[in-house]
Amino acid sequence: MTWLITGGAGYIGAHVAKVMTGAGEQVVALDDLSAGVRGRLPEDIPLIHGSALDGDLLKRALTEHAVTGVVHLAARKQVGESVAQPTRYYQENVGGLATLLEAAAGAGVERFLFSSSAAVYGNPDVDLITEDTPCAPMSPYGETKLAGEWLVRAAGQAHGIATVCLRYFNVAGAAAPALADTGVFNVIPMVFDRLTRDEAPRIFGDDYPTPDGTCVRDYIHVADLADAHLAAARRLTGEGATGDLTVNIGRGEGVSVRELVDLIGEVTGDRRPALVGPRRPGDAPRAVASAALAERELGWTARRGVPEMVESAWAGWRAHRGI
Protein backbone atom coordinates (compact mmCIF):
# COMPACT_ATOMS: atom_id res chain seq x y z
CA MET A 1 0.00 0.00 0.00
CA THR A 2 1.03 3.55 -0.75
CA TRP A 3 -1.20 6.31 0.61
CA LEU A 4 -1.46 9.80 -0.88
CA ILE A 5 -2.28 12.31 1.88
CA THR A 6 -3.59 15.57 0.45
CA GLY A 7 -2.96 18.51 2.77
CA GLY A 8 -0.19 16.34 4.18
CA ALA A 9 1.94 19.26 5.39
CA GLY A 10 -0.96 20.81 7.31
CA TYR A 11 -1.67 20.68 11.04
CA ILE A 12 -3.80 17.53 10.86
CA GLY A 13 -2.11 16.09 7.78
CA ALA A 14 1.35 16.05 9.35
CA HIS A 15 -0.01 14.21 12.39
CA VAL A 16 -1.71 11.65 10.14
CA ALA A 17 1.49 11.20 8.11
CA LYS A 18 3.49 10.72 11.32
CA VAL A 19 1.17 8.05 12.69
CA MET A 20 0.79 6.19 9.41
CA THR A 21 4.52 6.05 8.64
CA GLY A 22 5.18 5.05 12.25
CA ALA A 23 2.85 2.11 11.70
CA GLY A 24 4.79 1.03 8.61
CA GLU A 25 2.57 2.54 5.91
CA GLN A 26 4.10 4.05 2.77
CA VAL A 27 3.05 7.72 2.47
CA VAL A 28 3.39 10.48 -0.10
CA ALA A 29 2.06 13.97 0.65
CA LEU A 30 0.48 16.58 -1.60
CA ASP A 31 0.12 20.16 -0.39
CA ASP A 32 -0.05 23.60 -2.00
CA LEU A 33 1.63 25.01 1.16
CA SER A 34 -0.95 27.77 1.48
CA ALA A 35 -1.38 26.65 5.09
CA GLY A 36 0.97 23.67 5.23
CA VAL A 37 4.61 23.75 6.33
CA ARG A 38 7.20 21.49 4.69
CA GLY A 39 9.15 21.26 7.94
CA ARG A 40 6.29 19.40 9.61
CA LEU A 41 7.01 16.36 7.45
CA PRO A 42 10.02 14.05 7.81
CA GLU A 43 12.46 14.40 4.94
CA ASP A 44 11.84 10.82 3.80
CA ILE A 45 8.18 11.52 2.99
CA PRO A 46 7.94 12.78 -0.62
CA LEU A 47 6.07 16.09 -0.90
CA ILE A 48 4.32 17.03 -4.12
CA HIS A 49 3.81 20.79 -4.23
CA GLY A 50 0.45 21.39 -5.85
CA SER A 51 -3.32 21.54 -5.60
CA ALA A 52 -6.09 18.96 -5.67
CA LEU A 53 -7.61 21.10 -8.42
CA ASP A 54 -4.73 20.18 -10.75
CA GLY A 55 -5.99 17.02 -12.43
CA ASP A 56 -2.87 16.44 -14.54
CA LEU A 57 -0.63 16.72 -11.48
CA LEU A 58 -2.82 14.28 -9.57
CA LYS A 59 -2.77 11.72 -12.38
CA ARG A 60 1.02 11.87 -12.55
CA ALA A 61 1.41 11.63 -8.79
CA LEU A 62 -0.94 8.68 -8.45
CA THR A 63 0.84 6.81 -11.24
CA GLU A 64 4.46 7.67 -10.42
CA HIS A 65 4.06 6.75 -6.74
CA ALA A 66 1.85 3.70 -7.42
CA VAL A 67 -0.77 5.07 -5.01
CA THR A 68 -3.36 2.54 -3.88
CA GLY A 69 -5.22 4.62 -1.26
CA VAL A 70 -6.01 8.30 -0.69
CA VAL A 71 -6.49 10.27 2.54
CA HIS A 72 -8.09 13.55 1.47
CA LEU A 73 -7.53 16.32 4.01
CA ALA A 74 -6.86 19.33 1.77
CA ALA A 75 -9.67 21.89 2.09
CA ARG A 76 -10.51 25.38 3.16
CA LYS A 77 -12.05 25.20 6.63
CA GLN A 78 -12.97 28.59 8.13
CA VAL A 79 -16.70 29.00 8.69
CA GLY A 80 -16.69 32.80 8.59
CA GLU A 81 -14.54 32.90 5.48
CA SER A 82 -16.90 30.44 3.79
CA VAL A 83 -19.83 32.79 4.40
CA ALA A 84 -17.90 35.64 2.76
CA GLN A 85 -16.45 33.50 -0.07
CA PRO A 86 -18.92 30.67 -0.79
CA THR A 87 -17.94 30.19 -4.44
CA ARG A 88 -14.28 29.77 -3.46
CA TYR A 89 -15.23 27.15 -0.88
CA TYR A 90 -17.37 25.17 -3.30
CA GLN A 91 -14.71 25.39 -6.00
CA GLU A 92 -11.83 24.25 -3.77
CA ASN A 93 -13.60 21.86 -1.39
CA VAL A 94 -16.06 20.21 -3.77
CA GLY A 95 -14.34 20.90 -7.09
CA GLY A 96 -10.99 19.73 -5.77
CA LEU A 97 -12.58 16.59 -4.38
CA ALA A 98 -14.29 15.84 -7.70
CA THR A 99 -10.99 16.26 -9.56
CA LEU A 100 -9.21 13.99 -7.08
CA LEU A 101 -11.87 11.28 -7.22
CA GLU A 102 -11.81 11.29 -11.02
CA ALA A 103 -8.02 10.92 -11.01
CA ALA A 104 -8.17 8.22 -8.34
CA ALA A 105 -10.76 6.21 -10.27
CA GLY A 106 -8.69 6.52 -13.44
CA ALA A 107 -5.59 5.26 -11.62
CA GLY A 108 -7.42 2.25 -10.17
CA VAL A 109 -7.30 3.47 -6.56
CA GLU A 110 -9.63 1.29 -4.48
CA ARG A 111 -9.54 3.00 -1.06
CA PHE A 112 -10.53 6.56 -0.16
CA LEU A 113 -10.62 8.22 3.27
CA PHE A 114 -12.38 11.61 3.41
CA SER A 115 -11.94 14.31 6.04
CA SER A 116 -15.43 15.55 6.90
CA SER A 117 -16.69 17.64 9.81
CA ALA A 118 -19.30 17.88 12.54
CA ALA A 119 -20.30 21.08 10.73
CA VAL A 120 -22.50 18.87 8.54
CA TYR A 121 -24.95 18.57 11.45
CA GLY A 122 -25.58 22.27 11.95
CA ASN A 123 -27.33 23.00 15.24
CA PRO A 124 -29.16 19.82 16.34
CA ASP A 125 -31.07 19.89 19.62
CA VAL A 126 -29.81 16.56 20.95
CA ASP A 127 -27.70 15.46 23.91
CA LEU A 128 -25.35 13.32 21.79
CA ILE A 129 -24.96 13.64 18.04
CA THR A 130 -25.05 10.25 16.33
CA GLU A 131 -24.32 9.51 12.69
CA ASP A 132 -28.10 9.24 12.20
CA THR A 133 -28.73 12.79 13.46
CA PRO A 134 -30.18 14.77 10.53
CA CYS A 135 -27.65 16.95 8.71
CA ALA A 136 -28.52 20.62 8.34
CA PRO A 137 -25.27 22.59 7.87
CA MET A 138 -25.39 26.29 8.71
CA SER A 139 -22.49 27.55 6.60
CA PRO A 140 -21.08 27.05 3.10
CA TYR A 141 -18.16 25.25 4.75
CA GLY A 142 -20.50 22.69 6.32
CA GLU A 143 -22.41 22.40 3.05
CA THR A 144 -19.21 21.58 1.14
CA LYS A 145 -18.36 18.85 3.62
CA LEU A 146 -21.81 17.28 3.36
CA ALA A 147 -21.72 17.53 -0.45
CA GLY A 148 -18.25 16.00 -0.28
CA GLU A 149 -19.59 12.99 1.60
CA TRP A 150 -22.31 12.52 -1.02
CA LEU A 151 -19.74 12.73 -3.79
CA VAL A 152 -17.34 10.29 -2.11
CA ARG A 153 -20.11 7.72 -1.64
CA ALA A 154 -21.40 8.12 -5.20
CA ALA A 155 -17.92 7.79 -6.71
CA GLY A 156 -17.19 4.82 -4.50
CA GLN A 157 -20.32 3.03 -5.68
CA ALA A 158 -19.66 3.90 -9.32
CA HIS A 159 -16.00 2.88 -9.39
CA GLY A 160 -15.75 0.14 -6.77
CA ILE A 161 -13.84 2.30 -4.27
CA ALA A 162 -14.19 1.45 -0.58
CA THR A 163 -14.71 4.71 1.36
CA VAL A 164 -14.71 6.08 4.89
CA CYS A 165 -15.85 9.57 5.90
CA LEU A 166 -14.67 10.86 9.29
CA ARG A 167 -16.74 13.63 10.86
CA TYR A 168 -14.30 15.51 13.12
CA PHE A 169 -15.48 17.43 16.15
CA ASN A 170 -13.22 20.15 17.67
CA VAL A 171 -9.56 19.31 17.07
CA ALA A 172 -6.87 20.58 19.47
CA GLY A 173 -3.42 19.86 20.87
CA ALA A 174 -0.22 18.62 19.26
CA ALA A 175 1.85 15.44 19.34
CA ALA A 176 4.99 17.62 19.38
CA PRO A 177 5.54 21.41 19.49
CA ALA A 178 6.81 21.43 15.89
CA LEU A 179 3.48 19.97 14.71
CA ALA A 180 1.27 22.47 16.54
CA ASP A 181 -1.43 24.50 14.83
CA THR A 182 -0.04 27.93 13.91
CA GLY A 183 -3.41 29.52 13.08
CA VAL A 184 -5.61 31.59 15.38
CA PHE A 185 -9.03 30.36 14.33
CA ASN A 186 -10.18 28.03 17.11
CA VAL A 187 -10.99 28.74 20.74
CA ILE A 188 -7.76 27.51 22.36
CA PRO A 189 -5.33 29.48 20.16
CA MET A 190 -7.71 32.46 20.27
CA VAL A 191 -7.39 32.52 24.07
CA PHE A 192 -3.62 32.05 23.83
CA ASP A 193 -3.46 34.98 21.42
CA ARG A 194 -5.34 37.30 23.74
CA LEU A 195 -3.26 36.32 26.76
CA THR A 196 -0.05 36.80 24.78
CA ARG A 197 -1.23 40.31 23.90
CA ASP A 198 -1.96 40.94 27.59
CA GLU A 199 -5.72 40.89 27.04
CA ALA A 200 -8.41 38.99 28.89
CA PRO A 201 -9.98 35.92 27.23
CA ARG A 202 -13.33 36.49 25.56
CA ILE A 203 -16.46 34.36 25.89
CA PHE A 204 -19.30 34.81 23.42
CA GLY A 205 -22.48 34.45 25.42
CA ASP A 206 -23.10 33.06 28.92
CA ASP A 207 -26.87 32.71 28.75
CA TYR A 208 -27.15 29.39 26.91
CA PRO A 209 -29.27 26.56 28.37
CA THR A 210 -26.17 24.76 29.69
CA PRO A 211 -24.91 24.19 33.26
CA ASP A 212 -22.73 27.34 33.33
CA GLY A 213 -24.43 29.25 30.53
CA THR A 214 -21.61 28.86 27.99
CA CYS A 215 -21.52 26.63 24.92
CA VAL A 216 -20.52 22.98 25.39
CA ARG A 217 -18.28 21.28 22.86
CA ASP A 218 -16.54 17.95 22.25
CA TYR A 219 -12.74 18.35 21.91
CA ILE A 220 -10.53 15.70 20.33
CA HIS A 221 -6.74 15.58 20.57
CA VAL A 222 -5.17 15.74 17.11
CA ALA A 223 -3.02 12.71 17.95
CA ASP A 224 -6.19 10.71 18.70
CA LEU A 225 -7.63 11.96 15.42
CA ALA A 226 -4.51 10.74 13.61
CA ASP A 227 -4.93 7.34 15.28
CA ALA A 228 -8.51 7.28 13.98
CA HIS A 229 -7.20 7.78 10.43
CA LEU A 230 -4.84 4.86 10.85
CA ALA A 231 -7.69 2.70 12.15
CA ALA A 232 -9.84 3.73 9.18
CA ALA A 233 -6.99 3.04 6.73
CA ARG A 234 -6.52 -0.41 8.25
CA ARG A 235 -10.23 -1.09 7.85
CA LEU A 236 -10.04 -0.07 4.21
CA THR A 237 -7.11 -2.42 3.63
CA GLY A 238 -8.77 -5.32 5.40
CA GLU A 239 -9.69 -8.42 3.48
CA GLY A 240 -12.78 -7.88 1.37
CA ALA A 241 -13.14 -4.18 2.29
CA THR A 242 -16.06 -2.73 0.33
CA GLY A 243 -18.81 -0.16 0.62
CA ASP A 244 -18.81 3.00 2.67
CA LEU A 245 -18.67 4.02 6.32
CA THR A 246 -19.32 7.38 7.99
CA VAL A 247 -18.34 7.88 11.64
CA ASN A 248 -18.02 10.66 14.20
CA ILE A 249 -14.57 11.30 15.66
CA GLY A 250 -14.89 12.79 19.13
CA ARG A 251 -14.52 11.90 22.79
CA GLY A 252 -18.23 11.75 23.56
CA GLU A 253 -17.74 14.19 26.45
CA GLY A 254 -18.67 17.85 26.61
CA VAL A 255 -16.56 20.70 27.97
CA SER A 256 -17.99 24.19 28.35
CA VAL A 257 -16.20 27.24 27.03
CA ARG A 258 -15.86 28.60 30.56
CA GLU A 259 -14.38 25.32 31.80
CA LEU A 260 -11.93 25.40 28.91
CA VAL A 261 -10.92 29.02 29.56
CA ASP A 262 -10.39 28.21 33.25
CA LEU A 263 -8.20 25.23 32.31
CA ILE A 264 -6.16 27.42 29.95
CA GLY A 265 -5.65 29.82 32.85
CA GLU A 266 -4.28 26.99 35.00
CA VAL A 267 -1.92 25.79 32.27
CA THR A 268 -0.62 29.23 31.30
CA GLY A 269 -0.63 30.68 34.82
CA ASP A 270 -2.72 33.62 33.58
CA ARG A 271 -6.03 33.35 35.41
CA ARG A 272 -7.48 36.76 34.64
CA PRO A 273 -11.31 36.71 34.39
CA ALA A 274 -12.80 36.31 30.95
CA LEU A 275 -14.78 39.10 29.32
CA VAL A 276 -18.29 38.05 28.32
CA GLY A 277 -19.75 39.44 25.12
CA PRO A 278 -22.90 38.77 23.12
CA ARG A 279 -23.57 35.43 21.46
CA ARG A 280 -22.18 34.77 18.00
CA PRO A 281 -24.80 33.95 15.36
CA GLY A 282 -25.13 30.24 14.69
CA ASP A 283 -23.39 28.93 17.82
CA ALA A 284 -25.18 25.82 19.09
CA PRO A 285 -25.62 25.51 22.88
CA ARG A 286 -24.23 21.97 22.81
CA ALA A 287 -22.42 19.84 20.22
CA VAL A 288 -21.09 16.55 21.60
CA ALA A 289 -20.45 13.38 19.60
CA SER A 290 -21.61 9.90 20.17
CA ALA A 291 -18.37 7.98 19.62
CA ALA A 292 -19.92 4.52 19.89
CA LEU A 293 -19.91 3.74 16.17
CA ALA A 294 -16.20 4.55 15.76
CA GLU A 295 -15.39 2.17 18.60
CA ARG A 296 -17.57 -0.56 17.15
CA GLU A 297 -16.55 -0.21 13.49
CA LEU A 298 -12.93 0.95 13.78
CA GLY A 299 -11.91 -0.39 17.18
CA TRP A 300 -10.91 3.19 18.02
CA THR A 301 -11.51 5.34 21.10
CA ALA A 302 -9.91 8.61 22.16
CA ARG A 303 -7.22 8.19 24.81
CA ARG A 304 -6.15 11.77 25.58
CA GLY A 305 -8.00 14.26 27.73
CA VAL A 306 -8.58 18.00 27.49
CA PRO A 307 -5.74 18.95 29.90
CA GLU A 308 -3.26 17.17 27.61
CA MET A 309 -4.72 19.02 24.62
CA VAL A 310 -4.27 22.41 26.28
CA GLU A 311 -0.80 21.65 27.65
CA SER A 312 0.51 20.40 24.30
CA ALA A 313 -1.11 23.26 22.40
CA TRP A 314 0.47 25.78 24.79
CA ALA A 315 3.90 24.17 24.36
CA GLY A 316 3.49 24.46 20.59
CA TRP A 317 2.26 28.05 20.80
CA ARG A 318 5.27 29.06 22.84
CA ALA A 319 7.73 27.19 20.61
CA HIS A 320 6.45 28.79 17.42
CA ARG A 321 6.50 32.27 18.94
CA GLY A 322 9.72 32.04 20.94
CA ILE A 323 7.95 32.66 24.25
Side-chain angles (χ1 to χ4, degrees), residues 66-308:
V67 170
T68 50
V70 172
V71 179
H72 183 46
L73 301 169
R76 302 202 67 82
K77 61 178 184 178
Q78 302 307 322
V79 170
E81 183 182 62
S82 78
V83 173
Q85 302 177 38
T87 55
R88 182 183 187 187
Y89 268 66
Y90 272 87
Q91 180 184 38
E92 296 196 23
N93 290 6
V94 181
L97 173 60
T99 302
L100 176 60
L101 283 166
E102 183 177 24
V109 172
E110 296 181 344
R111 301 161 183 87
F112 198 98
L113 176 52
F114 177 59
S115 163
S116 189
S117 167
V120 300
Y121 294 114
N123 186 2
D125 184 17
V126 294
D127 186 50
L128 288 178
I129 297 172
T130 74
E131 291 78 3
D132 292 327
T133 299
C135 293
M138 299 177 65
S139 69
Y141 166 68
E143 292 167 4
T144 65
K145 285 300 184 181
L146 183 56
E149 291 185 7
W150 296 339
L151 182 54
V152 166
R153 293 188 198 106
Q157 291 169 5
H159 302 293
I161 302 172
T163 65
V164 174
C165 298
L166 301 182
R167 291 174 174 170
Y168 309 168
F169 279 66
N170 298 271
V171 185
L179 300 182
D181 190 2
T182 57
V184 187
F185 303 110
N186 301 314
V187 61
I188 292 175
M190 287 173 67
V191 174
F192 290 165
D193 182 57
R194 290 186 66 85
L195 295 179
T196 302
R197 291 188 284 114
D198 198 28
E199 297 176 3
R202 182 180 295 163
I203 292 174
F204 297 100
D206 65 351
D207 58 349
Y208 287 93
T210 59
D212 66 15
T214 66
C215 294
V216 173
R217 295 289 182 266
D218 191 332
Y219 295 93
I220 178 75
H221 196 296
V222 67
D224 280 329
L225 177 63
D227 290 340
H229 283 76
L230 176 62
R234 290 285 166 83
R235 177 191 170 98
L236 287 171
T237 55
E239 187 174 344
T242 58
D244 63 86
L245 175 68
T246 299
V247 294
N248 292 335
I249 302 298
R251 294 172 59 248
E253 299 178 12
V255 177
S256 77
V257 173
R258 189 174 293 282
E259 289 172 332
L260 185 64
V261 169
D262 289 345
L263 178 57
I264 292 172
E266 294 177 13
V267 170
T268 63
D270 190 332
R271 295 180 174 84
R272 71 185 76 190
L275 301 175
V276 178
R279 296 184 182 189
R280 293 184 303 188
D283 274 350
R286 177 181 173 86
V288 179
S290 167
L293 188 64
E295 181 176 8
R296 185 165 67 249
E297 294 290 340
L298 301 179
W300 171 90
T301 55
R303 297 186 292 111
R304 300 161 179 90
V306 179
E308 188 172 346

